[in-house]
Amino acid sequence: MSVSRHPVALRLERRVGSATKLLATVMVLPLVDGIFPALVVAGVLGTATGIVETGILIFGGSATAAVILAEMDGDRKQMVTSVLVIGAVIIPLAALEAAFAPTFRGFLNLPVFERFAGLVILTIAAKTASSEIGEYLPSPGVIIALGLVASFEPAGFAIETSPEYVVNGAAAAGVGVAFALAIAMLSPHLRGRVDIDRFRFGSAVALGVLALPILLGPFDVMQTDAPIALAVLAVTTLFAYDPNAGPAVGSGSDSDSSDSGPPDSGGDADRVDGASADEDGSPAGGDGSADGELDPTDPPLDAPPTAPGRIVDDDVAVLANGGEPSTAGDDEGTDPFADDDSRAPWL
């Protein structure tokens, strides 16, 4: 499998360094740039479906899969340990940020802020799908800051908290960590069999599907509890996985069979040549001349066969005894009754 050209992972890799730090940055990024708090304030985590979709697509997603499969080295135990350490930091931070969601909801115009939250998710989806498009789009933090300014209502400011938001925030982060753990544990099997770039594009589509109900809320578009984004992600995973794309098993036997050539290709010819040639390269039964010259003592090539009369005499004797004549000495174009036998000129 070639190293994935994931735009988000490549951009962060230039700033970070090791694969473990890169994975930590990718998974902490939603907490830093304000995407996760925006989703909590927008009420996306109000259902179990929203918690699972946020955990997989925001904390997990294609960037996490790309870093684990294409960048991280080491055995399965080392990768699982790294993911657990990162999860021990992410889950408490997600719970802490979710605890302040009621406070933000108190001094924000929620219908306006929700539109900006949906716009943030669409921006992330575009950046995930194409790095060229992402260069022309503002960062998620800028969009969230604009949303805070546009929806700010200071009259409703009050510090509030709710255990429900804390539990939901921790659960969403836990789902993301569980997704990363599953990728790390299955990494020996998934490497070489998952097209990360195809999975990345499908994850971008799933993010867009997640953003549509938030962005188009006033128009009642796709207002359903059905996990449409998860269904899109499942179809994406199905198309990105190829069980036959892994390292070829038994390649040595294949190469041996291909190198050996087809059966009986040249072996019999060598044996025939060896049987019909002497060690010095001359034809078998020859006088050692290997340059193709004819021996002066050899009869000419167009000379008629010698002593056919003896064969005829033998055949006459055989016919007299009731047998069949022999054809051992008959050649095409030779007269069997030729009378050129010196032993019996009267025949």
Side-chain angles (χ1 to χ4, degrees), residues 273-289:
D273 295 341
S276 61
D278 295 334
E279 293 182 358
D280 57 355
S282 61
D287 57 354
S289 59

Side-chain angles (χ1 to χ4, degrees), residues 304-305 327 329-335:
T327 60
D330 294 346
D331 291 334
E332 184 178 357
T334 303
D335 186 4

Side-chain angles (χ1 to χ4, degrees), residues 134-147:
E135 294 178 357
Y136 300 98
L137 297 177
S139 64
V142 173
I143 298 176
I144 293 176
L146 294 176

Side-chain angles (χ1 to χ4, degrees), residues 42-44 114-115 209-228:
V44 177
E114 288 176 358
R115 307 294 84 77
V209 173
L210 177 64
L212 287 180
I214 304 173
L215 188 61
L216 304 177
F219 305 99
D220 294 333
V221 177
M222 299 181 63
Q223 298 298 321
T224 177
D225 294 335
I228 302 178

